Amino acid sequence: MAYELIASEIDKNKTRFIERLREAVEIPSVSAEAAYRNEVFRMTDWTQANMEKLGIKCRQIENGIEDRPDGSKLRLPPILFGHLGEDKSKKTLLVYGHLDVQPADIHDGWNTEPFKLIEIDGKLFGRGSSDDKGPVIAWLNAIETMQALNIEIPVNIKFVFEGMEESGSTGLDEILEQHKEEFLADVDWTCISDNYWLGKEKPCLTYGLRGLCYYAVEISAPKQDLHSGVYGGTIYEPMNDLVWILSRLTDLKGNILVDGINELVAPLTEDELKLYDQIEFDVEAYKQDVGVKTLTVDDKKKVLMNRWRYPTLSIHGIEGAFHGPGAKTVIPAKVVGKLSIRIVPNMEPEQTDALVVAFLNKLWKERGSPNKFRAIPFHSGRPWVADFNHPHYQAGARALEKVYGVKPDFTREGGSIPVTLTFQNLTGKSVMLLPIGACDDMAHSQNEKINVFNYIEGTKALAAYLLELAHI
Ligand SMILES: NCC(=O)N[C@@H](Cc1c[nH]cn1)C(=O)O
Ligand SMILES: [Zn+2]
Ligand SMILES: [Zn+2]
């Protein structure tokens, strides 16, 4: 009965909830770019103000100064802690989310302004609409609805919202460690809504994430960019060196060629292989969503395993390279290649870094260029796998079945949320990912969106989950 009342109240408030998301998307809280850093602070303040309206006690924990790769320093956004309810007879849920977003520029190929929320055909387009502002606000919508209906929230809720997740969650682990006894000691479960369904129709609960190790490869020589017609043929060109190196990291199918990496991966067991049988996943729809005719592997299980349980290496960009329209004939003086490896059990970031740096140095020696070379490990995060047979997951599954009328799949996810394992280790309790967005939300990409359906039903799902926690 309580759930039906909540669901109908959420439907009535749909427009208002969309307006709330609009306000958040219009704050361009890009953590990676210094020019936007103040917007992450503004987004944190905005969130705190909205939480306080619900009676959530908030405080901002200072996170110190970031040493940027270019040698500059920048104040880190504070971590926002919140606390709703202090009833000793109730258990305590910890909710985590992030308030920062990936960079976005209309010139990257967006059809609409990335920092405006634009509704088209039931889809809410805008940077952060799905990753992760929509889910963060869905928590607030769910709590507000229960409060408006005087329906008791059966648990105390604690919140950790950060503003650096898209840039490696700098400083967060240390702050959580420092507040372990005072803030995390009574946490019974952690729930994170910051990933996506495997398809477009069926909800899922997620029990695994890949980790991430990020690198820069810096090559430089002349004091400034040079005319390629005037100087070409006499200069060892940094860009040519870099492209040569980057091309040696993977083969055509994406297999990682870095010595020793594949040997670190946990072997596939029969039991694990069987899990993939039960999962609903349409390879053809997946190809259509990403707009390709051919994948490196075509079999459903192999596609999922390559996304979830094997490491992958991606090259993200080259700083310093000419990338505008037209034909500039320049020899870039300094180029920095950016790449990352999604790491999986049993890979450790320290081991991975050592192997990658050694391999890059080996390639550089082989290249024989006189230019200046540096291989720099940036941030890293560990992979995470949890027990989905835990009663916490069963409560999540009951909630999702109530909202969507279907039992969820239990999935892993190829992306990374570095703090997930930290919560599991520091609380010693179950951590679960409960995504609300669809597989084609295009997080990190052009035209990121969340469907109105997913945002509104997702708000119901989080409320239903809060109700279900009473029955664990
Ligand atoms: N929704 C989670 C997510 O997108 N996480 C990022 C984390 C990250 C780490 N460094 C840069 N981003 C991801 O890319 O998986
Ligand atoms: Zn995210
Ligand atoms: Zn993200």
Side-chain angles (χ1 to χ4, degrees):
M1 188 61 188
Y3 172 70
E4 282 70 27
L5 285 172
I6 291 169
S8 131
E9 185 69 13
I10 289 171
D11 284 333
K12 281 187 215 146
N13 283 284
K14 182 166 124 180
T15 310
R16 219 164 47 75
F17 291 159
I18 292 174
E19 286 314 305
R20 188 173 277 160
L21 180 57
R22 185 185 311 286
E23 275 184 38
V25 167
E26 288 186 2
I27 303 173
S29 49
V30 179
S31 53
E33 292 177 23
Y36 285 101
R37 184 57 62 85
N38 278 340
E39 300 295 337
V40 187
F41 287 83
R42 199 152 73 83
M43 182 65 205
T44 309
D45 292 340
W46 180 92
T47 308
Q48 174 166 346
N50 277 274
M51 290 166 78
E52 284 173 344
K53 281 184 204 154
L54 304 177
I56 301 170
K57 291 191 186 127
C58 294
R59 61 191 156 131
Q60 297 190 8
I61 314 291
E62 267 308 310
N63 193 7
I65 304 291
E66 179 190 12
D67 291 313
R68 309 270 298 168
D70 64 1
S72 64
K73 291 187 185 296
L74 205 55
R75 192 178 151 216
L76 284 162
I79 308 296
L80 181 57
F81 278 10
H83 195 170
L84 181 69
E86 292 186 56
D87 186 337
K88 293 255 181 294
S89 68
K90 289 181 179 175
K91 291 191 167 174
T92 298
L93 168 70
L94 177 69
V95 168
Y96 162 86
H98 64 91
L99 308 173
D100 61 320
V101 294
Q102 286 277 321
D105 189 316
I106 183 106
H107 300 111
D108 292 343
W110 283 70
N111 296 329
T112 57
E113 278 296 335
F115 296 109
K116 294 261 173 256
L117 192 77
I118 312 278
E119 183 172 349
I120 303 169
D121 295 336
K123 299 179 170 88
L124 299 164
F125 290 93
R127 175 57 90 226
S129 54
S130 182
D131 180 14
D132 183 31
K133 291 179 176 177
V136 163
I137 295 167
W139 282 110
L140 305 187
N141 298 341
I143 291 165
E144 183 188 274
T145 306
M146 293 174 79
Q147 289 177 341
L149 294 169
N150 281 320
I151 292 174
E152 188 183 353
I153 299 174
V155 289
N156 302 313
I157 311 179
K158 289 187 169 177
F159 300 85
V160 173
F161 291 143
E162 69 156 320
M164 284 298 286
E165 196 272 348
E166 298 291 13
S167 300
S169 292
T170 319
L172 179 60
D173 276 4
E174 292 74 11
I175 285 183
L176 291 174
E177 180 71 53
Q178 284 157 16
H179 291 79
K180 181 180 162 185
E181 297 307 330
E182 168 244 334
F183 191 69
L184 298 178
D186 58 354
V187 167
D188 295 288
W189 320 274
T190 299
C191 186
I192 301 176
S193 187
D194 183 24
N195 66 305
Y196 320 95
W197 292 358
L198 196 51
K200 294 175 200 133
E201 314 288 337
K202 195 175 178 192
C204 62
L205 291 169
T206 303
Y207 64 93
L209 289 164
R210 292 194 289 187
L212 180 96
C213 290
Y214 204 102
Y215 304 96
V217 181
E218 186 184 288
I219 304 179
S220 57
K223 71 177 177 49
Q224 65 187 79
D225 292 355
L226 298 170
H227 187 307
S228 64
V230 176
Y231 298 98
T234 61
I235 302 292
Y236 285 90
E237 299 195 18
M239 184 72 154
N240 298 20
D241 289 342
L242 181 63
V243 171
W244 183 88
I245 288 205
L246 295 180
S247 74
R248 274 156 179 77
L249 301 178
T250 53
D251 68 13
L252 175 68
K253 296 257 182 196
N255 296 306
I256 300 176
L257 304 178
V258 177
D259 296 333
I261 288 286
N262 298 310
E263 287 73 5
L264 300 176
V265 177
L268 179 67
T269 64
E270 281 302 317
D271 283 349
E272 187 192 333
L273 195 56
K274 280 193 209 124
L275 292 175
Y276 294 92
D277 288 329
Q278 301 146 26
I279 293 170
E280 225 172 275
F281 179 67
D282 181 344
V283 176
E284 286 311 310
Y286 178 73
K287 284 191 208 168
Q288 268 186 17
D289 284 343
V290 291
V292 300
K293 291 202 173 70
T294 318
L295 300 172
T296 54
V297 284
D298 245 348
D299 164 75
K300 171 186 120 175
K301 286 187 188 183
K302 285 188 180 151
V303 173
L304 292 177
M305 284 194 281
N306 276 11
R307 294 175 69 190
W308 296 352
R309 64 107 51 228
Y310 288 119
T312 47
L313 187 155
S314 300
I315 295 164
H316 306 294
I318 299 179
E319 204 179 313
F322 165 59
H323 61 90
K328 187 178 180 190
T329 47
V330 71
I331 299 172
K334 176 180 167 186
V335 283
V336 188
K338 307 281 176 71
L339 61 115
S340 74
I341 299 186
R342 297 285 171 175
I343 63 171
V344 297
N346 301 323
M347 297 168 77
E348 290 292 331
E350 295 75 17
Q351 281 174 307
T352 309
D353 286 356
L355 289 172
V356 170
V357 171
F359 190 72
L360 288 167
N361 284 328
K362 181 178 113 176
L363 286 177
W364 185 244
K365 209 165 159 207
E366 195 185 320
R367 175 73 170 165
S369 167
N371 290 335
K372 281 191 219 122
F373 171 89
R374 281 203 307 157
I376 313 158
F378 277 14
H379 57 270
S380 60
R382 292 185 154 72
W384 162 79
V385 184
D387 170 17
F388 61 83
N389 292 311
H390 192 283
H392 184 202
Y393 280 74
Q394 308 314 317
R398 286 195 300 277
L400 293 181
E401 193 172 358
K402 192 168 265 171
V403 179
Y404 301 99
V406 55
K407 287 191 197 311
D409 276 330
F410 289 94
T411 65
R412 284 166 70 168
E413 164 83 47
S416 315
I417 308 173
V419 76
T420 313
L421 183 65
T422 310
F423 284 131
Q424 190 168 288
N425 289 342
L426 291 182
T427 64
K429 301 284 171 55
S430 168
V431 181
M432 180 175 79
L433 266 54
L434 194 167
I436 66 171
C439 70
D440 61 347
D441 280 358
M442 293 297 156
H444 294 205
S445 177
Q446 297 93 345
N447 305 316
E448 177 180 349
K449 57 89 181 160
I450 190 164
N451 301 329
V452 173
F453 173 84
N454 286 72
Y455 178 51
I456 297 303
E457 298 310 297
T459 296
K460 294 178 193 172
L462 298 181
Y465 162 71
L466 291 176
L467 293 177
E468 281 299 332
L469 288 177
H471 306 300
I472 298 188

